[in-house]
Amino acid sequence: MNRRSLIATLTALPVLGLARAGVAQESFRFDSIDGGTYDMAEWRGRPVLVVNTASLCGYTPQYDDLQALHDDYGPRGLVVLAVPSDDFRQELSSDEAVAEFCEVNFNLTLPMTTITSVRGSGAHPFYRWLRDTYGFEPGWNFNKVLLDGEGQLVQTFGSNTRPTSRRILGEVEALIGA
């Protein structure tokens, strides 16, 4: 689908309760910036790196590394999901603008959601689950959350940790059996 033909409504449909640590990745859905929905249940058995992003942030060049991870490790099982958020007031004004910015400047082909809240009471259920179950809430843009194939938290990484850092690559390779 064309990124410009997206539906701007965020749908978050948790299947299971959010407070249990055993809630697996199939519990969450995100609206795709391309239209349609990403159902994390479809990624069962695959590690997933979820990254809250913003187009106007100093860390935005990390999109290049996210795309490289997607290109290099996607065929081996890794899913890289970008979650644009304006919680830190550094995102463009619409999903269409974000999609165009990422396509023109980074030629992104990795999965990307609509603009989504990642903090506070209005946070997407996935991020509320992270906060309530693991005590993790993004402190800034480009925080990274690595899940195993069962949807359980493996590790979180701050904004300063590049997606292609040894720390992240080591965890990813351990999960995909490299």
Side-chain angles (χ1 to χ4, degrees):
M1 285 188 155
N2 185 308
R3 289 181 187 250
R4 293 180 191 97
S5 66
L6 65 103
I7 300 169
T9 306
L10 173 66
T11 302
L13 302 172
V15 176
L16 302 171
L18 298 176
R20 293 184 321 128
V23 174
Q25 67 192 35
E26 65 262 30
S27 304
F28 306 104
R29 295 185 182 141
F30 290 87
D31 278 351
S32 168
I33 204 162
D34 295 326
T37 302
Y38 296 118
D39 183 343
M40 293 182 87
E42 295 176 14
W43 299 330
R44 187 170 182 84
R46 300 174 68 184
V48 180
L49 183 68
V50 183
V51 184
N52 63 299
T53 63
S55 301
L56 304 176
C57 180
Y59 292 105
T60 302
Q62 288 187 16
Y63 271 132
D64 285 328
D65 284 352
L66 293 174
Q67 184 64 46
L69 276 180
H70 173 74
D71 292 343
D72 295 343
Y73 290 92
R76 296 165 55 192
L78 178 67
V79 176
V80 179
L81 179 65
V83 181
S85 178
D86 194 36
D87 286 358
F88 303 104
R89 307 292 180 236
Q90 293 191 318
E91 189 49 271
L92 298 171
S93 62
S94 71
D95 295 326
E96 293 86 358
V98 172
E100 183 175 357
F101 174 84
C102 290
E103 186 175 339
V104 168
N105 293 293
F106 298 98
N107 196 29
L108 290 189
T109 61
L110 55 89
M112 180 177 278
T113 73
T114 56
I115 298 171
T116 302
S117 182
V118 300
R119 292 180 54 84
S121 61
H124 183 279
F126 171 78
Y127 283 96
R128 288 197 318 258
W129 169 73
L130 285 172
R131 180 192 64 221
D132 295 347
T133 305
Y134 298 103
F136 175 79
E137 185 173 62
W140 194 245
N141 303 308
F142 288 86
N143 277 216
K144 297 137 196 96
V145 176
L146 183 61
L147 306 174
D148 67 14
E150 297 304 313
Q152 298 304 307
L153 180 67
V154 173
Q155 182 73 39
T156 62
F157 305 92
S159 304
N160 287 329
T161 305
R162 295 184 59 99
T164 54
S165 70
R166 286 184 185 173
R167 288 182 59 211
I168 291 178
L169 292 180
E171 295 285 354
V172 166
E173 289 176 357
L175 290 170
I176 61 175

